[in-house]
Amino acid sequence: MSIFSEVGPIKYEGPDSTNDFAYKVYDKDRVVLGKKLGDWLRLTVAYWHSFAAGGGDMFGPGTWTRPWSGNVTQEMAAARADAAFDFFTRLGTPYFAFHDADVIADAATLPEHIDNLKKIEDIFAKKISETGVKLLWGTANLFSHPRYAAGAATNPNPEVFAYAAGQVRAILETTHRLGGENYVMWGGREGYDTLLNTDLKAELDHMGRFLNMVVEHKHKIGFKGPILIEPKPFEPTKHQYDHDVAAVYAFLQKHGLEKEVKVNIEVNHATLANLDFEHEVTAAYAFGIMGSLDINRGDPRSGWDTDQFPNNAQDLTPAWLEILNQGGLHTGGCNFDAKLRRQSVDINDLYIAHITGIDTLARAVLSAESVIKQKKLATLKAARYAGWETPFGKEIAGGKLTLADLADLAVKKGLNPKAVSGQQELYESIIAQNQKV
Ligand code: XLS
Ligand code: NI
Ligand code: NI
């Protein structure tokens, strides 16, 4: 009997439902600006927090007892896969994502790791074809094992770099064979704890070399999906090299990879970087590197990565306004870091976190749709930049005038522009007034 057998498939029951185990907003077939809500969101359950973690924190060990927790054997890994796919199916989410280490029996050597991964790949392939649940992305855990304490690609020891290459080749190929739509690199410990013992330039060069090797291999095996880097400013290291979207873009340009690699943006990593999530999203589209979303929230005061499910739609509305305007996430989706709290020992807490996170996202999309349909915000913004659409504005932007030409022109025209209101209050009111149920 399944651990989830008391919970039926989660259905859409509408805003008046009082059932904790039902969607109030997420009606996956509802059409939003010509596309189904489910197709905008491409919801993805994350294996690690939901099926591999035990509830521990820095002051104590795990508190969640699950039939599949403990030292992981091959049987347990298989039981974990049964439970995970059962959960995905009952929740009705179309995708999942995982790290190699989340899904396999503990391995002592690289060949054993690769062998264990192959066994699970076979189980996953069967489950994918039975359930229709698809793989959004796979990734390698290059940060938990003690060998990676000083990083993987940025490790001072090239043997660790080589071991990481062994892990990444295996999981990239598994991701490819399982039909994965993206491959993620979260630079877990690619950073430093103190600059005193760190050769920053060498580490960044090695990280660039590693990424180039991954991209070369992806082409060699014919993997079509993008490689995604997940920016994070710090934690567990004092400084992570993939600090934020702009830092990642500069790194990609330096290594000639800006057309090859995109970003997986996590809401709370933006918060930790002292940036708004919508800033990261907007910057990624502006640079042409939008990939996927790791959709969670932090705690505004704790200052670390709590990876909780999103519960505030208004916070997410500006980002969704941009995503809808840009035509969506393409190969990306929304993966949940719906990490339960240490006291959340009840298995049903997992459902509440996901259902509420999904409804929150749906609400943000519907609110953004309402803003777009109202047209007011777009009209105000177009009027704000209208000067650049005039022949004068186009001449400046077109790049033909020198600084001296323009300076002379400003005098000749007798320019004396006056300040106009930025109307921030009105823009903010449009977001607030368009919040849906
Ligand atoms: C941790 C990261 C991790 C990645 C995948 O901060 O967010 O969960 O998403 O390695
Ligand atoms: Ni993440
Ligand atoms: Ni995170």
Side-chain angles (χ1 to χ4, degrees), residues 48-49 99 137 143 186 230 232 266 269 294 305 337:
W48 53 104
H49 289 318
H99 302 76
W137 51 259
F143 45 87
W186 174 52
E230 184 170 324
K232 187 174 185 181
E266 178 166 322
H269 295 180
D294 197 338
D305 205 11
D337 263 3

Side-chain angles (χ1 to χ4, degrees), residues 16 27 32 52 54 95 104 108 133 163 169 188 213-214 235-236 238 250 277 280 341 361 374 403 406 422:
D16 297 330
D27 171 6
V32 174
Y95 286 94
I104 63 171
V133 174
Y163 199 104
R169 180 179 68 175
M213 289 164 107
V214 174
E235 195 206 67
K238 175 194 170 77
F277 176 52
E280 291 292 77
R341 302 301 89 196
L361 269 175
Q374 189 193 34
L403 185 71
L406 193 54

